[in-house]
Amino acid sequence: MLSPLVLHQIQRFMHFVCSLMHSLLQVSYTSWFLDAFNYAIATNMDVLNLSIGGPDYLDLPFVEKIWEITANNIIMVSAIGNDGPLYGTLNNPADQSDVIGVGGIDYSDHIASFSSRGMSTWELPHGYGRVKPDIVAYGRDIMGSKISAGCKSLSGTSVASPVVAGVVCLLVSVIPEPDRKNILNPASMKQALVEGAAKLSGPNMYEQGAGRVDLLKSYEILKSYKPRASIFPSVLDYTVCPYTWPFCRQPLYAGAMPVIFNATILNGMGVVGYVDSPPTWHPSDEEGNLLSIHFTYSEIIWPWTGYLALHMQIKEEGAQFSGKIEGNVTLRVSSPPAHGEKDPRISICVLQLKLNVVPTPPRSKRILWDQFHNIKYPPGYIPRDSLDVRNDILDWHGDHLHTNFHIMFNMLRDAGYYVETLGSPLTCFDARQYGTLLLVDLEDEYFTEEIEKLRDDVVNTGLGLAVFSEWYNVDTMVKMRFFDDNTRSWWTPVTGGANVPALNDLLAPFGIAFGDKILNGDFSLLGEQNRYASGTDIVRFPRGGYVHSFPFLDSSESGATQNVLQASGSTKADSPILGLTVMGEGRIAVYGDSNCLDSSHMVTNCFALLRKLLDFTNEDVRDPELFSDSNKQDSPLYEPDNQLPSRRTDVNFSAFSAIVGKELICRTDTRFEIWGTKGYNLQVRGRNRRLPGYPAIDLGRGLNSTSDASNIRRPRLTVRSNKDDFLGNRYLGLFYGDEPDAPMLVGGHWLIPFVVAVTGILLLSFWRIRQKRRRRRKGSNSGRLANI
């Protein structure tokens, strides 16, 4: 039986939920929720459910009020959202560590298709998201009462969350009222729920969290609970699939980027806690010493929770090791003494670790994914890659290998590739270790050092480069702005689906550029039907490369008039969308659309094409259809500089960028030995070796540029604006000539200095001969004067 006090609290809680749900039928403002939360604090509620959410975790008044709610010892339960089965779609506030985030399952213990998936995306691009949801509960076809009368069936995480809130209320009643506030808090309740949850056999941890809520087991935990700190999850066994996906899909190996896992510290001892000393790694055997772990963590734990991030790397002496590494990570947490106590509360947290390790794979099987140059909502209005998607205009899923590109990640692993993530600038990786750098749907700018290093990496180090671009059209972006009633301001896209002007800067040394068309249509390639969804076209490409063009309609604002004229039945214009070329020792493949790799709103996938492109960029394996003579460029594609897509001048891009006005530095997601530096030494690796015909990049802006993105200078090729003149420009022979092989390029590097040196020697010899002749003449003249 529930006590009258608990029943009274449940009635107040249900009244509050009904009030919030009523507000959801209309437009909801942050201020309304702040008022409701203040009421919950003022009335000293025990449990609060929130069956709402949104993607904006930078709505600081809302987020900070949630912290205030939990700091006042109110247990917050919240639905994670109904954006499943997409990953990286957690809603706020369920994605906060001090909130119990709830996902939904059906009566067969399958994750409901609508239930949002983790990981949390606050931490990107430098870190790694936390495990969410915390637990799951029944959320499909749940019977509940109508507001008027009778019952109805409801589905959604908005239903699963109140189920858990009811469970929490029952658990609250287990603790005697005098001890309730001393024992129960957001951390201790989450400990009871996640430690008592029943793990489901099929879903991974970013689908189910700790598992299905189990009232009886959680009751047994709370019945004998003593205040303590713990780590969630407490066991990381990377040998168990599918629960520890994606980590169980790819083993660790020496030379890789650190594998990052972000655990949550739950401090049931107090609202404030401290990590007394750095965490320590205790290997269970000698092989465990091959693992090097660096930690980043919350030194101050508030409210009730913190984070512990493990940055794991196999030492170089383990390059040939194959096997398992096991051990424990320990962490000492303390909290101030509770009321009536004299000594601080202390707890030792233990995280059990088990990893798979393999010998370092060959370079041709290693791919590096660029996470650093991705921008998503929030903080800015980043539009969707596919403009056909009308009901979800914001690009907010993280654009990470393990969120909306998780299907692609699984495909690459099935194909035998090892994929690593780079969350720092392009100067922060050693190109000699990787077959291909994969750039997909990137929105940020590039440091000038990045442009220069990538040019050297491709041409001299043999790095492959695969680029998947997106639409970019200023006229279309201007039309997409809208007025937001909540912020009382106009919102306008800060870039297109991708930042094409920045990509063009990056690709300028190779003579490649994208345009500003927005192309849509179906086409056939490699025996498969493909959908080109709001992609762009290629407007520059070197002679000797292979370019594929298909007929599409241009749906951009600038192309709308043309499409109206074509609607009468005229033929669609062919647009180049795929290009492949050799550049020095490296190989480059570019494609104008990333929608076919992104699981968010994918129409058709292009995984077969991606594999063919990687075969080429990694190992120079050429598919006959992609490299047919009919697609070889006898003359280059060339669009003048003033026709290339330009940056917006009405947007302060530095407010959203990790580059504009920022310092170039390698962060904690890179190799330990270069943390805090600007990256690998370009001078040692041939920084001064430049492409023939390409001017050295002006580094006058420096590393701490504060100029607006619209004023960033684009490295330009020394070309004439006339196409006919351009075709005969000998200085661009590397870009627009036949495919050069490595010996030709290397020869170009020593031949010019050799000719200069020989010319200098001849000039010096000629000058010395002339000097001798002058001295002889002078001596003979002096002699004649002496005899006068």
Side-chain angles (χ1 to χ4, degrees):
M1 288 289 293
L2 296 178
S3 68
L5 178 62
V6 174
L7 287 174
H8 177 61
Q9 292 285 0
I10 292 176
Q11 287 173 349
R12 285 168 42 185
F13 150 71
M14 291 305 294
H15 173 73
F16 188 66
V17 170
C18 290
S19 298
L20 287 181
M21 291 302 293
H22 176 70
S23 70
L24 291 177
L25 300 177
Q26 313 167 49
V27 176
S28 299
Y29 295 100
T30 296
S31 59
W32 296 357
F33 288 101
L34 300 185
D35 288 341
F37 294 152
N38 285 332
Y39 173 79
I41 295 173
T43 55
N44 197 28
M45 285 191 178
D46 292 314
V47 182
L48 182 61
N49 178 76
L50 207 60
S51 289
I52 60 99
D56 190 357
Y57 53 78
L58 289 183
D59 184 1
L60 291 183
F62 186 92
V63 169
E64 291 177 350
K65 184 57 70 172
I66 296 294
W67 290 340
E68 185 180 348
I69 284 276
T70 58
N72 277 274
N73 213 4
I74 298 176
I75 300 170
M76 170 73 81
V77 183
S78 183
I80 66 169
N82 300 324
D83 293 295
L86 306 179
Y87 282 70
T89 56
L90 295 168
N91 279 225
N92 180 262
D95 59 351
Q96 295 185 213
S97 60
D98 54 326
V99 174
I100 299 170
V102 181
I105 58 174
D106 59 25
Y107 290 117
S108 299
D109 281 350
H110 297 141
I111 300 296
S113 59
F114 56 74
S115 185
S116 291
R117 271 69 165 171
M119 58 185 177
S120 62
T121 57
W122 289 37
E123 299 78 9
L124 301 179
H126 297 301
Y128 194 84
R130 289 169 286 106
V131 174
K132 282 281 183 170
D134 296 298
I135 53 173
V136 291
Y138 296 118
R140 185 183 288 280
D141 299 328
I142 305 299
M143 297 304 296
S145 60
K146 293 182 180 180
I147 294 179
S148 56
C151 296
K152 65 177 179 179
S153 175
L154 297 170
S155 295
T157 58
S158 296
V159 182
S161 183
V163 169
V164 172
V167 168
V168 170
C169 288
L170 289 172
L171 292 174
V172 168
S173 68
V174 170
I175 308 299
E177 186 177 349
D179 301 327
R180 192 168 293 163
K181 287 297 183 180
N182 294 327
I183 294 178
L184 287 182
N185 55 61
S188 62
M189 182 59 70
K190 184 180 286 192
Q191 287 172 328
L193 291 175
V194 299
E195 292 169 13
K199 187 179 295 183
L200 306 178
S201 59
N204 64 56
M205 57 185 173
Y206 296 115
E207 294 174 313
Q208 65 167 308
R212 183 189 66 238
V213 64
D214 190 319
L215 175 61
L216 293 179
K217 288 186 178 178
S218 296
Y219 161 75
E220 292 295 334
I221 293 172
L222 274 183
K223 195 168 60 171
S224 57
Y225 182 81
K226 300 295 182 183
R228 56 183 169 82
S230 63
I231 297 176
F232 170 67
S234 60
V235 178
L236 289 180
D237 188 347
Y238 286 4
T239 67
V240 175
C241 264
Y243 181 73
T244 57
W245 180 95
F247 303 101
C248 62
R249 287 301 312 272
Q250 181 166 300
L252 277 69
Y253 47 87
M257 291 291 170
V259 173
I260 305 175
F261 185 83
N262 195 356
T264 300
I265 302 172
L266 301 174
N267 180 27
M269 299 185 297
V271 63
V272 177
Y274 306 92
V275 176
D276 289 339
S277 57
T280 54
W281 161 240
H282 307 277
S284 60
D285 51 34
E286 189 66 26
E287 284 77 11
N289 291 316
L290 294 175
L291 177 66
S292 179
I293 307 183
H294 285 221
F295 303 93
T296 52
Y297 54 92
S298 308
E299 294 185 6
I300 299 176
I301 301 171
W302 184 90
W304 309 104
T305 59
Y307 71 91
L308 171 64
L310 286 67
H311 305 252
M312 296 173 284
Q313 186 175 293
I314 300 300
K315 299 176 182 177
E316 294 302 323
E317 51 264 38
Q320 299 302 318
F321 175 76
S322 178
K324 292 178 174 55
I325 286 179
E326 298 183 58
N328 295 326
V329 172
T330 59
L331 182 74
R332 177 186 164 102
V333 176
S334 65
S335 282
H339 181 71
E341 297 178 350
K342 295 182 179 180
D343 299 324
R345 293 180 168 183
I346 296 175
S347 186
I348 303 297
C349 306
V350 178
L351 172 62
Q352 300 177 36
L353 197 60
K354 187 175 182 179
L355 309 171
N356 262 333
V357 181
V358 297
T360 302
R363 179 186 187 184
S364 61
K365 291 299 181 183
R366 293 177 64 180
I367 298 170
L368 188 63
W369 169 273
D370 182 2
Q371 184 69 33
F372 178 69
H373 296 91
N374 169 261
I375 304 176
K376 63 184 180 62
Y377 172 85
Y381 174 12
I382 310 297
R384 273 276 167 227
D385 300 326
S386 175
L387 296 181
D388 293 333
V389 180
R390 305 292 183 179
N391 61 341
D392 188 11
I393 62 172
L394 298 175
D395 185 4
W396 61 281
H397 296 172
D399 282 351
H400 191 278
L401 277 171
H402 303 152
T403 57
N404 51 312
F405 289 97
H406 71 283
I407 299 177
M408 182 199 72
F409 168 77
N410 287 337
M411 180 278 298
L412 292 175
R413 287 296 300 129
D414 291 339
Y417 288 108
Y418 294 81
V419 195
E420 302 170 32
T421 303
L422 176 67
S424 288
L426 300 181
T427 58
C428 301
F429 77 96
D430 184 357
R432 295 168 296 182
Q433 306 301 318
Y434 300 94
T436 296
L437 174 65
L438 187 54
L439 310 180
V440 179
D441 180 26
L442 300 178
E443 296 89 6
D444 213 333
E445 295 289 332
Y446 297 88
F447 291 106
T448 50
E449 290 83 356
E450 293 183 279
I451 298 174
E452 184 174 342
K453 177 178 178 290
L454 183 63
R455 180 187 64 196
D456 179 73
D457 286 342
V458 172
V459 174
N460 298 321
T461 312
L463 176 70
L465 181 63
V467 181
F468 285 74
S469 184
E470 267 301 335
W471 69 272
Y472 183 95
N473 184 275
V474 173
D475 293 336
T476 301
M477 284 186 273
V478 171
K479 188 178 179 181
M480 293 172 64
R481 73 174 190 153
F482 65 90
F483 187 79
D484 178 36
D485 286 331
N486 204 5
T487 60
R488 309 299 297 171
S489 61
W490 284 96
W491 282 62
T492 183
V494 301
T495 182
N499 189 343
V500 168
L503 271 179
N504 286 346
D505 283 355
L506 188 69
L507 297 174
F510 312 116
I512 299 173
F514 293 103
D516 63 356
K517 291 182 178 180
I518 302 179
L519 304 174
N520 293 275
D522 300 311
F523 67 101
S524 179
L525 185 65
L526 299 174
E528 294 185 347
Q529 282 297 119
N530 298 275
R531 173 70 179 176
Y532 207 69
S534 304
T536 190
D537 59 332
I538 299 171
V539 296
R540 280 186 181 176
F541 208 75
R543 182 173 70 236
Y546 296 80
V547 175
H548 294 258
S549 302
F550 299 94
F552 297 121
L553 285 178
D554 180 6
S555 62
S556 65
E557 289 301 302
S558 53
T561 303
Q562 174 190 3
N563 290 339
V564 170
L565 296 175
Q566 291 176 345
S568 59
S570 59
T571 306
K572 300 176 183 177
D574 276 359
S575 299
I577 62 170
L578 172 64
L580 307 100
T581 189
V582 173
M583 197 62 61
E585 297 180 15
R587 292 163 293 277
I588 301 175
V590 296
Y591 187 68
D593 184 27
S594 68
N595 185 260
C596 56
L597 300 178
D598 185 342
S599 58
S600 290
H601 300 287
M602 181 188 296
V603 179
T604 60
N605 73 68
C606 57
F607 297 151
L609 173 63
L610 175 61
R611 289 187 59 177
K612 295 292 185 182
L613 298 185
L614 293 175
D615 287 344
F616 168 62
T617 56
N618 275 342
E619 301 182 89
D620 200 15
V621 176
R622 307 190 180 198
D623 180 86
E625 183 176 347
L626 296 182
F627 289 88
S628 64
D629 291 339
S630 60
N631 296 111
K632 190 170 184 179
Q633 289 294 110
D634 295 328
S635 60
L637 292 177
Y638 177 70
E639 189 85 4
D641 283 351
N642 59 5
Q643 297 297 316
L644 293 179
S646 59
R647 291 174 173 84
R648 300 194 63 174
T649 58
D650 59 339
V651 173
N652 179 18
F653 199 77
S654 62
F656 318 102
S657 173
I659 293 166
V660 179
K662 311 300 191 302
E663 182 181 3
L664 187 155
I665 190 170
C666 299
R667 301 186 184 271
T668 54
D669 52 6
T670 52
R671 300 280 298 170
F672 300 156
E673 61 267 20
I674 62 167
W675 279 18
T677 73
K678 292 178 174 24
Y680 287 89
N681 192 322
L682 301 182
Q683 189 72 30
V684 173
R685 299 185 58 251
R687 179 171 182 167
N688 291 334
R689 300 173 69 186
R690 62 184 180 88
L691 298 179
Y694 186 74
I697 295 176
D698 180 15
L699 299 180
R701 286 178 56 221
L703 298 178
N704 300 305
S705 170
T706 57
S707 63
D708 187 81
S710 60
N711 296 322
I712 294 177
R713 294 177 57 189
R714 177 182 298 111
R716 300 179 183 274
L717 299 174
T718 308
V719 298
R720 300 185 179 95
S721 60
N722 184 286
K723 260 191 180 181
D724 294 333
D725 291 341
F726 174 80
L727 298 181
N729 192 334
R730 294 183 180 181
Y731 294 102
L732 297 175
L734 175 63
F735 304 141
Y736 298 93
D738 293 331
E739 296 174 6
D741 16 39
M744 286 176 56
L745 185 67
V746 173
H749 279 288
W750 62 259
L751 182 59
I752 294 175
F754 175 76
V755 172
V756 171
V758 171
T759 304
I761 293 173
L762 291 176
L763 289 174
L764 180 62
S765 301
F766 179 72
W767 178 78
R768 285 180 174 176
I769 292 173
R770 291 195 62 185
Q771 288 296 104
K772 288 181 179 179
R773 289 178 179 176
R774 285 179 180 176
R775 285 196 293 269
R776 289 174 185 171
R777 289 173 185 165
K778 188 175 181 180
S780 60
N781 289 337
S782 299
R784 281 195 294 270
L785 290 172
N787 293 331
I788 290 176

